[in-house]
Amino acid sequence: MRIKHLLPLAGVGLGAALVSFGAQAATLDDTKNRGSVRCGVSDGLAGFSAPNAQGQWEGIDVELCRGIAAAIFGDPESVVYSALTASERFTALQSGEVDLLSRNTTWTSSRDNSLGLTFPGGVNFYDGQGFMVKAELGVEHATELDGATICVASGTTTELNLADYFDSQGMQYQAIGFDESSQTAAGFDSGRCDVLTSDSSQLAALRLQLNDPDSAVILPERISKEPLAPMVRRGDEDWGKVVSWTFYAMLNAEELGVNSENVDAMRDNPPNPDVARLLGQDGNFGEQLGLSNDWAYNIIKTVGNYAEVYDRTVGADSPLDIPRGVNALWNAGGIQYAPPVR
C-alpha cells in the first residue's frame, strides 16, 4: 500500500470546489477503472487511522476504507491512503484528490451544507469532547479548569466547543493551537499546556503517546456530541450509497450474528431471509448499488462485522480498550442502527 501525503491546495475556493465535485460525479466508475479506492485518513491517530510498525495503515476509519474496497473489488487491500491534517482534509476531497474522507470527522450542519460535500449516512463512531489534564494538578472535573492553558487542534470543531463551554461556565482559558493531533500531545507532554482537549476517543489514543501515560488523567465530563462519519462530494449519490451501505453491511452482519468466521456457512445455508439477502443469496441488492451481489459477503469475509472491527481497533482487543457504550447496537444498550437489506 502506498502512503501519500498531500499539501494544502492553495487558492481552491468554494466555486472551484463545486466545479471539481461536479466533474467527479462518477466516482464509483472512476474508482472501478482505477482499481483502487483513494481514502483520506488522519495524519496518525491510534485506533482510528495510523501506520503500524510495518507501515500498514490500521484503525476503525481504515477498516471502513478496506470494507469499501472489498465491496467493489473483493480485495480490502485495494486502497491508496492519503494522510491529511484537519486543515487539509476538506480541500483534498473537494479537489478530487481523494474519493472520501474516513478521518474522525464530526458530522455538523455547516460541513454538510456549505462545503460542496456531504455525509452520506452512517456514524462510524459516536464520540464526545473531553479534557485530559496533568495528574499532578489534582483536578477532578472540568469546572475546575478556570484559567487553564489548553492545547487544541486548529481548524476543528474542538476549538468552537472549547470556547462555547468556557463561555457557558463563565471561565477563562488560553488556547495553544496545533495543526496535527500528535503535536497537541507533544505540547501537552512538554508542559506547554496544563490541559489537552479533543474527542474522548482521541484523548485515549493521545494518552498512549505520552512519555508516561500515567502522568495524565481524562476527566469524566463530555461537553459535546461528536458523531464521526465518512464524507464524500455532494452530487455523487451512487458513490455515497456504496460508502454508507458498506458501513450498514457491517452493522447488519453483527446484528444477524454473521462474522468473518461463520460467513461461509451462513451463505451456504442461510438461517433466515435477512441473512440470505445480506449475503447475496436472495435478491439483487448488490446490483442495485452497482456492485456484485456478493458485495456484503466480501466485506464480512475479509474485514469483518462492526463488532470485529471495533474490538480490534479501539475496543477490548486494542490498547485503547474503549467500551462500546453508545456504539453498541440498538438492541444491546447502544444507538448503532442500520437500515435493513430488503
Side-chain angles (χ1 to χ4, degrees):
M1 294 180 289
R2 179 166 63 92
I3 300 175
K4 181 180 179 184
H5 296 272
L6 297 179
L7 296 175
L9 300 178
V12 179
L14 181 56
L18 294 176
V19 172
S20 175
F21 89 77
Q24 295 284 335
T27 305
L28 179 57
D29 291 338
D30 291 344
T31 299
K32 289 179 177 179
N33 292 334
R34 186 190 316 121
S36 63
V37 177
R38 299 180 304 184
C39 190
V41 292
S42 78
D43 51 338
L45 182 63
F48 286 80
S49 51
N52 60 23
Q54 292 72 45
Q56 299 170 324
W57 283 89
E58 58 186 16
I60 194 169
D61 289 336
V62 170
E63 296 293 357
L64 178 61
C65 301
R66 298 178 73 244
I68 294 167
I72 298 171
F73 304 111
D75 177 12
E77 304 307 316
S78 296
V79 185
V80 176
Y81 298 97
S82 294
L84 303 170
T85 65
S87 60
E88 294 171 337
R89 54 184 165 173
F90 301 127
T91 303
L93 182 57
Q94 289 167 338
S95 68
E97 291 289 331
V98 296
D99 302 320
L100 77 150
L101 295 179
S102 186
R103 192 211 168 281
N104 54 289
T105 297
T106 300
W107 188 343
T108 69
S109 174
S110 60
R111 290 173 176 176
D112 205 15
N113 295 303
S114 65
L115 298 175
L117 308 175
T118 190
F119 297 86
V123 174
N124 204 24
F125 189 93
Y126 287 98
D127 211 343
Q129 186 172 330
F131 298 96
M132 180 165 66
V133 303
K134 302 285 188 181
E136 63 186 20
L137 296 178
V139 172
E140 297 182 353
H141 296 283
T143 52
E144 301 172 47
L145 296 178
D146 191 17
T149 302
I150 303 178
C151 289
V152 60
S154 301
T156 65
T157 57
T158 309
E159 290 181 302
L160 176 62
N161 295 335
L162 177 63
D164 288 347
Y165 177 74
F166 270 74
D167 182 63
S168 69
Q169 297 295 319
M171 300 190 304
Q172 302 295 317
Y173 71 99
Q174 178 183 351
I176 300 178
F178 297 88
D179 288 335
E180 301 179 11
S181 57
S182 60
Q183 293 174 344
T184 65
F188 176 79
D189 213 11
S190 67
R192 291 192 62 187
C193 54
D194 306 312
V195 182
L196 193 161
T197 186
S198 187
D199 295 346
S200 60
S201 60
Q202 294 186 45
L203 293 178
L206 294 174
R207 184 173 177 270
L208 296 178
Q209 298 180 18
L210 303 179
N211 291 324
D212 178 13
D214 291 335
S215 69
V217 294
I218 299 173
L219 301 181
E221 289 82 8
R222 299 294 175 263
I223 66 170
S224 69
K225 296 185 295 184
E226 305 296 332
L228 308 180
M231 204 172 193
V232 299
R233 287 180 290 276
R234 185 175 294 280
D236 201 350
E237 187 177 44
D238 290 345
W239 176 243
K241 287 186 179 298
V242 170
V243 172
S244 59
W245 278 97
T246 294
F247 177 65
Y248 294 149
M250 294 179 183
L251 282 178
N252 277 314
E254 179 185 358
E255 183 175 343
L256 294 170
V258 184
N259 57 47
S260 59
E261 295 183 357
N262 66 19
V263 66
D264 288 313
M266 290 283 201
R267 180 188 60 178
D268 296 341
N269 187 24
N272 56 58
D274 287 328
V275 172
R277 288 189 287 264
L278 177 67
L279 299 182
Q281 299 301 94
D282 181 25
N284 64 338
F285 302 103
E287 293 178 9
Q288 293 173 4
L289 288 169
L291 307 173
S292 61
N293 274 340
D294 60 356
W295 65 286
Y297 166 84
N298 289 333
I299 296 169
I300 301 159
K301 179 67 176 179
T302 62
V303 178
N305 65 28
Y306 184 72
E308 292 177 282
V309 167
Y310 188 101
D311 287 345
R312 70 172 175 259
T313 57
V314 298
D317 299 330
S318 79
L320 298 183
D321 193 20
I322 300 174
R324 284 287 293 268
V326 293
N327 287 291
L329 294 181
W330 65 283
N331 56 4
I335 59 175
Q336 283 288 11
Y337 191 107
V341 177
R342 66 169 182 255

